Amino acid sequence: MPGTPSVPPHGNRWFHRRVAIPAALAVAVLTVPAVSPASSAPSVPSVSSAPAPSAVAAQPRHTPKPTVVLVHGAFADSSGWSGVVARLRHDGHPVIAAANPLRGLDSDAAYVSSLLDSIPGPVVLVGHSYGGEVITNAAVGHANVKALVYIAAFAPDQGESGLALVGLNPGSQLGEALVVRPYAVAGGGGADGYVDPAKFRSVMAADLRGSDTELLAAQQRPVDLAALQAPSGVPAWRTIPSWYLVAGADRAIPAATEKFMARRAGANTVVVDDASHLVMLSHPGRVENLIVQAAKATD
């Protein structure tokens, strides 16, 4: 496996420079009981207002559906989940599409972890692409996370990085499409990775219309390259049941690598043969179906 490339230094000479390094993409409905109409018959005094034991036993038990938390990957934002969110909400699931900061693996995982702290009840935690790395770390120690769902995502073991995994098997075109731009913030800065707009559709979304991918390319959110180089911690998939959707025509993370990670995690796996890396946009129904399977398994 090739060594992990270092993040380029600051300076104008790196502006818009393309570098051939592999990178991860990666990136409650309230039920109101019916009220019986008042009877027109004269009222009869009742000995007791408490229901009979048989009536209590006959009442159905209502179990709230788990909250689905969706974590996007690099070069994207939470709007990429829109089609999946609409379907989940239609099926009665509370949904939160988290705003993954894309600034560093540790800090991104800490952000999502703090979000999980605020959610009462069970959670199904879903990650796409680099978002898979984030959920793998964020879910550790959270007893309310009942299932992990990886959508064409990294599911790293301890010590692995996204960059190492993307080069595990041939087939990724992401490295040659990467554009690096330095950025500055108060107290420091770093180097952001973007996908070259001219190559965005081919690498990321070959099964979407060109007009749609032009917008996605222009609106992409960059990832700090240091996030893709950071080693992952102890993986949550060792103790939390997982599901995995393999995008069979993925040109960002090779399908062979996705299948390897799914097998290693012991994940319940489905393969969408013709799907690109942005499978949640091209096949939102298939993605939602897998999430619902995971949610039902938490009952």
Side-chain angles (χ1 to χ4, degrees):
M1 185 183 303
T4 302
S6 60
V7 176
H10 304 298
N12 292 334
R13 64 182 181 281
W14 292 98
F15 193 80
H16 288 202
R17 180 177 177 185
R18 295 183 178 85
V19 290
I21 63 175
L25 221 196
V27 266
V29 176
L30 298 179
T31 303
V32 180
V35 179
S36 301
S39 173
S40 60
S43 61
V44 178
S46 175
V47 175
S48 171
S49 60
S54 59
V56 174
Q59 291 177 355
R61 181 181 176 184
H62 175 66
T63 302
K65 292 185 177 181
T67 298
V68 178
V69 176
L70 305 166
V71 181
H72 65 80
F75 320 118
D77 60 29
S78 56
S79 66
W81 293 110
S82 295
V84 176
V85 170
R87 287 165 171 80
L88 287 168
R89 287 176 56 83
H90 181 268
D91 288 341
H93 285 277
V95 185
I96 298 174
N100 187 359
L102 305 181
R103 297 295 85 194
L105 180 56
D106 289 344
S107 60
D108 294 344
Y111 176 86
V112 174
S113 178
S114 67
L115 174 61
L116 298 174
D117 285 335
S118 72
I119 302 172
V123 170
V124 174
L125 187 55
V126 185
H128 172 251
S129 193
Y130 166 70
E133 291 188 74
V134 174
I135 70 170
T136 296
N137 290 269
V140 174
H142 287 278
N144 63 328
V145 178
K146 304 301 183 181
L148 300 171
V149 183
Y150 294 89
I151 306 299
F154 290 109
D157 204 346
Q158 186 171 8
E160 292 179 339
S161 70
L163 287 180
L165 286 168
V166 81
L168 189 61
N169 289 288
S172 176
Q173 299 177 7
L174 185 56
E176 62 189 28
L178 195 66
V179 175
V180 177
R181 294 186 174 97
Y183 72 87
V185 294
D192 270 342
Y194 297 77
V195 178
D196 184 344
K199 299 178 180 179
F200 189 93
R201 183 170 186 265
S202 175
V203 176
M204 306 288 288
D207 55 350
L208 293 176
R209 297 180 305 180
S211 57
D212 292 333
T213 58
E214 288 175 1
L215 289 175
L216 292 171
Q219 296 169 352
Q220 62 183 297
R221 280 188 57 211
V223 61
D224 190 314
L225 294 183
L228 305 179
Q229 295 175 309
S232 186
V234 176
W237 49 255
R238 290 198 181 279
T239 55
I240 301 175
S242 61
W243 281 254
Y244 200 110
L245 186 147
V246 174
D250 200 329
R251 295 175 184 168
I253 304 174
T257 299
E258 294 177 7
K259 292 176 181 177
F260 161 74
M261 292 185 290
R263 286 194 304 269
R264 181 175 63 181
N268 301 276
T269 304
V270 298
V271 180
V272 182
D273 290 327
D274 59 344
S276 70
H277 190 64
L278 297 186
V279 60
M280 70 283 195
L281 291 176
S282 59
H283 295 81
R286 298 293 298 272
V287 171
E288 194 254 357
N289 286 343
L290 188 63
I291 295 171
V292 170
Q293 287 180 30
K296 288 180 177 178
T298 68
D299 293 341

